């Protein structure tokens, strides 16, 4: 037993003493948690989310009749007013009195490119006539697809316009209110109304830390020790590979526990994530995540011939598994082949299961799948590792 | 076959094949308690494979091993608990401290000597808090020796313990091994340094191509060459061989010329006369007794480090 404990301590100590592993396993997750929260931290906070939106009404009132474009402007203006002393959802930027609308449009487009505006809404000339004559009326929305905030604003604006559209149809007598299908307002990922990005992100970053430690740390430590004949020195003592495995796993568990404690303290007390990790389901999914990523590490160690080969495999798997697992952002509409990665990716299930376990989201994946898919990967990884992992250098 | 009293390790007909190659080809030997037994041979002779079998890293294809009074098919945990092993190759975790390495290896055994005691034994007390990556080659080898001694072993395997070390570091290791011998430890050593074998060994077996080609004490083995004295000098580009009318066997070994003589004074006189007549400078000339290198050379026609 003392050998197992000493091995666990050794693995933990050396992981923390080596600058590269210390950075990737502890410093980087902390950095990511802080930086992402600072950038996207306002998303979803009640009264805290605010988008800078340009609004230009090019409609000409000369033709008379109902001012439907004006209804659109009113709706956006109403959203742009502070409520209960809280910051409004949109801060509207409109042409000043007498300002040339085309000139304003050009300036707004430039500010959108520079990130000063999140979106620009344009009501075209002939909007009123088009609606009244039953023609296709279109409101143009300019967004910057490279900015996440811009895309989020676009989604909200589309929702707003959809609501305005129905209102206009009712007012013009073209829409039967009784038959109207009310749009149910769903917060992101269908969770509680008080969605906070920090609370969404913290469990994701904790899992990412476990994931990185498992995917890179496990094969790295084992294969380098094997290739440099460190393990050989162990095998001439009474230590057996089984005891080494247990000691290593305990050490890896200690590393992940440390990652959790550091990230939890910073997330909870530094960033106000407000996540209740004491829930049994959350603890269970954290443990499931640790075991899944640990077994993934052993799987890589078993199929790589050398330590460098192991790192190459880990690098190839890292990006798709991490970014297509919903750790940092909700998984939206993805092309088919990416959906396939999402579906087989154990990270997807563990991340979703953990957030449901924490009460952050309602979840779209069945609890059974959230448990069974990672367990399947663990079983497969252990099976392959047990058959293929060589404790002696090739 | 059962080893008699005083025999700690006995091996009979040990064989290990890798495909068509017989790395170890039916060797037999016995190691008395409290002695240094050296396996000498060139690279690829089968020394390390033999040791790896005895250390429990490999299973033999056939043969018998009797260790600590028990006949066993292969070395296992029970035997390893009483053995210490210094491998030819192997590193330690670079970010562990010296004292932590000793402590870690001590934790693998049922009983271990105190860390400070081991550090003193291998002269690393001053380096106890240093990281492995900060140690020199000789210090790392002493640390490796410390891990082999941590369980106060009855039997110590040292596989080429001084290969790659500078002369000073080599002599430090020899000094430690000599102390262990004085303490009554049984040591099995492999080396391709004849000086190391001659300095440390009670018994030597010479291996070549997986077989033992000679065995005995260094004195007995060198006595095989008779009462000869060897005159050795270098003569790059020399054509022909020295004429020694008083008798003597002349051999070329690269630039070196070895003249084995039984009666030194007349042979030396003849050789000097020949050198004077032919203008041969007799560079680096030494007169010495035969050593294990000469034994190997006489048995195989090759040098140990070829």
């Amino acid at each position: 037993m003392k050998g197992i404990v000493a091995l666990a301590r050794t693995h933990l100590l050396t992981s923390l003493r080596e600058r590269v592993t210390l950075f990737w396993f502890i410093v980087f997750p902390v950095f990511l948690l802080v930086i992402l929260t600072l950038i996207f931290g306002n998303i979803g906070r009640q009264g805290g989310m605010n988008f800078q939106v340009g609004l230009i009404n090019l409609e000409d009132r000369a033709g008379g009749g109902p001012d439907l474009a004006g209804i659109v402007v009113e709706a956006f203006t109403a959203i742009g007013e502070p409520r209960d002393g809280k910051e409004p959802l949109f801060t509207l930027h409109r042409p000043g009195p007498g300002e040339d609308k085309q000139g304003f449009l050009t300036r707004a487009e430039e500010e959108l490119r520079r990130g000063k505006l999140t979106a620009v809404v344009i009501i075209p000339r002939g909007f009123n006539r088009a609606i009244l004559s039953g023609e296709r009326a279109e409101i143009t929305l300019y967004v910057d697809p490279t900015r996440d905030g811009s895309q989020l604003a676009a989604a909200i604006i589309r929702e707003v316009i959809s609501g305005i559209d129905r209102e206009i149809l009712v007012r013009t007598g073209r829409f039967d209110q009784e038959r109207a299908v009310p749009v149910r307002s769903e917060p992101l990922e269908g969770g509680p109304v008080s969605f906070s990005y920090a609370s969404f992100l913290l469990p994701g970053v904790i899992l990412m830390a476990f994931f990185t430690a498992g995917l890179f740390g496990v094969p790295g430590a084992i294969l380098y020790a094997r290739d440099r004949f460190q393990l050989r020195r162990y095998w001439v003592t009474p230590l057996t590979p089984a005891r080494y495995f247990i000691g290593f796993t305990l050490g890896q568990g200690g590393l992940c526990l440390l990652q959790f404690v550091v990230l939890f303290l910073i997330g909870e007390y530094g960033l106000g994530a407000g996540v209740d990790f004491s829930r049994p389901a959350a603890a269970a999914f954290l443990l499931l995540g640790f075991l899944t990523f640990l077994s993934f590490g052993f799987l890589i160690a078993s199929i790589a011939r050398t330590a460098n080969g192991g790192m190459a495999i880990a690098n190839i798997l890292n990006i798709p598994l991490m970014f297509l697992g919903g750790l940092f952002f909700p998984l939206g509409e993805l092309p088919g082949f990416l959906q396939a990665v999402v579906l087989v990716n154990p990270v997807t299930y563990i991340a979703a299961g953990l957030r449901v376990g924490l009460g952050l989201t309602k979840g779209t994946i069945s609890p059974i799948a959230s448990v069974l898919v990672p367990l399947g990967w663990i079983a497969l990884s252990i099976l392959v590792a047990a058959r293929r992992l060589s404790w002696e250098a090739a | 076959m059962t080893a008699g009293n005083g025999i700690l390790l006995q091996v009979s007909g040990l064989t290990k094949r890798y495909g068509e190659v017989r790395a170890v080809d039916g060797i037999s030997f016995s190691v008395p308690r409290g002695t240094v037994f050296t396996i000498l041979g060139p690279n690829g002779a089968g020394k390390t494979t033999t040791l790896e079998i005895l250390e429990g890293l490999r299973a033999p294809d056939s043969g018998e091993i009797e260790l600590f009074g028990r006949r066993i098919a292969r070395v296992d945990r029970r035997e390893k608990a009483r053995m210490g092993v210094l491998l030819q190759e192997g590193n330690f975790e670079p970010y562990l401290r010296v004292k932590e390495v000793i402590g870690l290896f001590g934790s693998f055994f049922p009983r271990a000597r105190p860390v400070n005691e081991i550090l003193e034994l291998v002269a690393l007390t001053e380096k106890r808090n240093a990281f492995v990556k900060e140690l020199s080659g000789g210090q790392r080898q002493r640390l490796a020796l410390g891990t082999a001694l941590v369980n106060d072993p009855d039997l110590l395997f040292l596989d080429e313990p001084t290969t790659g070390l500078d002369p000073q570091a080599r002599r430090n290791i020899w000094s430690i091994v000599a102390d262990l011998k004085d303490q009554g430890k049984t040591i099995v050593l492999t080396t391709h340094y004849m000086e190391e074998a001659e300095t440390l060994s009670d018994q030597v077996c010479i291996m070549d191509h997986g077989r033992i080609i000679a065995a005995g004490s260094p004195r007995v083995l060198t006595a095989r060459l008779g009462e000869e004295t060897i005159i050795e000098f270098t003569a790059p580009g020399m054509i022909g061989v020295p004429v020694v009318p008083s008798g003597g066997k002349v051999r070329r070994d690269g630039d070196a010329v070895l003249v084995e003589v039984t009666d030194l004074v007349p042979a030396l006189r003849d050789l000097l006369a020949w050198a004077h007549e032919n203008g041969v400078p007799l560079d680096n000339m030494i007169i010495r007794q035969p050593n294990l290198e000469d034994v190997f050379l006489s048995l195989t026609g090759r040098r140990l480090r070829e």
Side-chain angles (χ1 to χ4, degrees):
Chain A
M1 186 62 196
K2 59 180 179 173
I4 290 172
V5 174
L7 275 170
R9 181 175 174 273
T10 296
H11 178 55
L12 184 58
L13 268 182
T14 53
S15 298
L16 297 177
R17 282 177 182 165
E18 197 163 355
R19 283 182 191 168
V20 174
T21 51
L22 178 68
F23 176 80
W24 286 110
F25 297 165
I26 304 287
V27 178
F28 180 69
V30 169
F31 174 77
L32 198 67
L33 177 66
V34 172
I35 205 77
L36 284 179
T37 306
L38 288 178
I39 293 172
F40 302 111
N42 282 333
I43 295 173
R45 277 193 194 159
Q46 271 188 316
M49 181 164 60
N50 177 259
F51 298 109
Q52 304 292 316
V53 176
L55 176 64
I56 305 152
N57 182 3
L58 298 175
E59 176 62 308
D60 186 356
R61 289 292 330 274
D67 183 10
L68 301 175
I71 294 173
V72 177
V73 173
E74 280 172 25
F76 275 98
T77 307
I79 296 168
E81 287 171 355
R83 283 186 190 172
D84 305 327
K86 290 179 180 174
E87 205 175 7
L89 185 65
F90 294 158
T91 298
L92 285 183
H93 298 261
R94 301 181 58 192
E99 185 177 354
D100 174 45
K101 288 180 179 177
Q102 282 299 336
F104 177 82
L105 177 59
T106 307
R107 186 160 55 85
E109 285 174 0
E110 186 57 29
E111 289 187 352
L112 180 63
R113 281 190 200 97
R114 292 180 180 176
K116 290 183 178 174
L117 290 181
T118 318
V120 178
V121 180
I122 302 163
I123 305 167
R125 186 187 295 270
F127 179 77
N128 291 343
R129 186 181 49 78
I131 289 180
L132 292 171
S133 62
E135 293 171 15
R136 182 179 171 85
E138 218 170 51
I139 291 177
T140 307
L141 176 65
Y142 284 130
V143 293
D144 181 353
T146 62
R147 294 176 199 276
D148 291 306
S150 198
Q151 291 199 22
L152 190 59
I156 294 168
I157 289 168
R158 283 196 191 96
E159 192 71 12
V160 170
I161 291 171
S162 167
I164 296 169
D165 189 30
R166 276 195 305 281
E167 185 60 30
I168 289 172
L169 290 172
V170 169
R171 284 198 196 183
T172 54
R174 292 161 184 270
F175 191 86
D176 181 359
Q177 179 72 58
E178 294 300 313
R179 292 169 61 194
V181 181
V183 173
R184 191 157 54 91
S185 180
E186 284 281 344
L188 290 172
E189 284 244 318
V193 176
S194 59
F195 172 83
S196 142
Y197 185 65
S199 63
F200 176 85
L201 183 64
L202 178 60
V205 172
I206 288 172
L207 285 180
M208 183 218 73
F210 289 9
F211 176 79
T212 310
L215 205 70
F216 289 93
V218 172
I222 291 175
L223 295 179
Y224 277 116
R226 187 186 74 183
D227 290 357
R228 294 170 182 166
F229 300 108
Q230 286 174 23
L231 292 183
R232 241 177 169 237
R233 291 209 189 272
Y234 294 162
W235 308 147
V236 293
T237 72
L239 182 74
T240 58
R243 292 162 74 87
Y244 172 82
F245 171 81
I246 296 169
F248 184 91
T249 299
L250 284 178
Q252 187 72 7
L255 177 65
C256 289
L257 187 63
L258 185 69
Q259 289 177 316
F260 172 78
V261 169
V262 170
L263 289 167
F264 172 75
L265 291 177
I266 291 172
E268 200 66 19
Y269 298 107
L271 304 171
V275 180
D276 182 11
F277 279 103
S278 65
R279 296 177 179 219
F285 271 100
L286 283 175
L287 180 65
L288 185 66
F290 161 68
L291 292 173
T292 306
F293 305 144
L294 175 83
S295 61
F296 245 67
F298 278 107
L299 175 69
I300 292 171
S302 66
I303 56 179
R305 291 173 65 92
T306 63
N308 289 337
M311 292 301 95
I313 294 171
N315 267 313
I316 290 168
L317 292 175
N318 179 37
I319 299 297
L321 293 187
M322 191 158 65
F323 287 96
L324 296 177
L327 289 180
F328 309 123
F329 298 100
L331 293 169
E333 290 298 317
L334 292 168
F337 72 98
L338 292 181
Q339 281 292 350
V341 177
V342 170
L343 284 175
V344 298
N345 185 357
V347 179
T348 309
Y349 299 88
I350 295 165
L354 178 59
R355 288 192 176 108
V356 171
L358 289 166
L360 295 173
T361 58
K362 290 174 187 169
T364 53
I365 296 171
S366 83
I368 293 172
S370 289
V371 174
L372 284 186
V373 173
L375 281 180
W377 273 107
I378 291 173
L380 178 71
S381 301
I382 290 176
L383 191 70
V384 174
R387 294 172 69 94
R388 286 187 55 102
L389 183 58
S390 167
W391 298 104
E392 286 270 1
Chain B
M1 183 178 64
T2 304
N5 283 342
I7 299 296
L8 198 70
L9 168 66
Q10 184 154 310
V11 170
S12 304
L14 199 69
T15 301
K16 181 73 183 176
R17 295 181 196 83
Y18 296 114
E20 295 297 310
V21 179
R22 284 177 176 243
V24 178
D25 193 4
I27 63 170
S28 303
F29 60 85
S30 58
V31 181
R33 193 181 298 272
T35 61
V36 177
F37 181 88
T38 298
I39 305 174
L40 188 69
N43 289 332
K47 308 186 300 289
T48 294
T49 303
T50 303
L51 242 61
E52 284 177 346
I53 292 170
L54 299 176
E55 291 160 355
L57 288 173
R58 298 186 192 282
D61 292 331
S62 61
E64 288 182 356
I65 302 170
E66 196 172 327
L67 184 56
F68 306 127
R70 287 180 67 233
R71 189 169 295 177
I72 50 176
R74 69 169 293 174
V75 174
D76 219 327
R77 288 188 67 195
R78 183 170 163 171
E79 290 77 33
K80 287 178 182 176
R82 296 178 62 185
M83 288 168 22
V85 176
L86 174 64
L87 293 171
Q88 187 183 144
E89 287 181 295
N91 291 299
F92 296 106
E93 179 55 59
Y95 287 92
L96 275 188
R97 297 182 194 282
V98 166
K99 62 180 180 184
E100 291 168 345
V101 172
I102 299 292
L104 174 66
F105 277 78
S107 73
F108 299 155
F109 292 91
R111 283 179 296 107
R113 295 171 72 174
V115 171
N116 288 341
E117 213 173 285
I118 296 296
L119 292 176
E120 197 174 329
L121 198 64
V122 294
L124 282 175
T125 303
E126 286 182 6
K127 290 285 179 184
R128 66 196 312 277
N129 289 315
F131 286 119
V132 167
K133 67 189 180 84
E134 297 165 351
L135 300 180
S136 68
Q139 288 167 338
R140 284 183 198 206
Q141 194 67 338
R142 295 212 300 276
L143 176 61
L145 186 55
T147 63
L149 298 171
V150 76
N151 59 329
D152 194 18
D154 295 322
L155 177 60
L156 188 60
F157 290 101
L158 306 177
D159 192 3
E160 310 227 353
T162 61
T163 298
L165 298 185
D166 62 58
Q168 182 58 46
R170 185 174 300 162
R171 285 179 197 286
N172 287 340
I173 297 285
W174 289 358
S175 167
I176 295 169
V177 174
D179 286 346
L180 292 169
K181 182 182 170 184
D182 291 343
Q183 291 167 26
K185 298 287 180 199
T186 307
I187 299 169
V188 176
L189 173 81
T190 71
T191 184
H192 56 241
Y193 294 125
M194 57 177 177
E195 190 186 356
E196 188 163 286
E198 284 166 347
T199 305
L200 300 173
S201 315
D202 296 301
Q203 296 288 317
V204 174
C205 80
I206 300 178
M207 283 188 77
D208 192 33
H209 298 305
R211 293 185 175 179
I212 293 175
I213 56 174
S217 69
R219 183 187 293 269
V220 167
L221 288 172
T222 50
R224 286 176 167 223
L225 296 180
E227 297 298 315
E228 290 177 339
T229 301
I230 294 174
I231 305 166
E232 185 175 342
F233 60 92
T234 54
M238 187 189 81
I239 298 168
V241 293
V243 178
V244 188
S246 53
K249 195 163 89 182
V250 181
R251 282 190 283 121
R252 291 294 302 267
D253 182 24
D255 288 340
V257 180
L258 291 87
V259 185
E260 295 169 16
V261 298
T262 47
D263 199 352
L264 179 62
V265 175
L268 204 51
R269 186 194 58 217
D270 296 344
L271 184 66
L272 289 171
W274 169 83
H276 180 71
E277 286 169 16
N278 294 279
V280 178
L282 299 181
D283 286 339
N284 306 314
M285 190 174 84
I286 55 168
I287 297 165
R288 61 172 175 81
Q289 296 303 305
N291 58 28
L292 292 172
E293 180 87 51
D294 300 309
V295 176
F296 186 80
L297 196 60
S298 71
L299 289 169
T300 65
R302 291 177 286 119
R303 294 183 77 87
L304 272 170
R305 274 185 270 178
E306 275 178 5

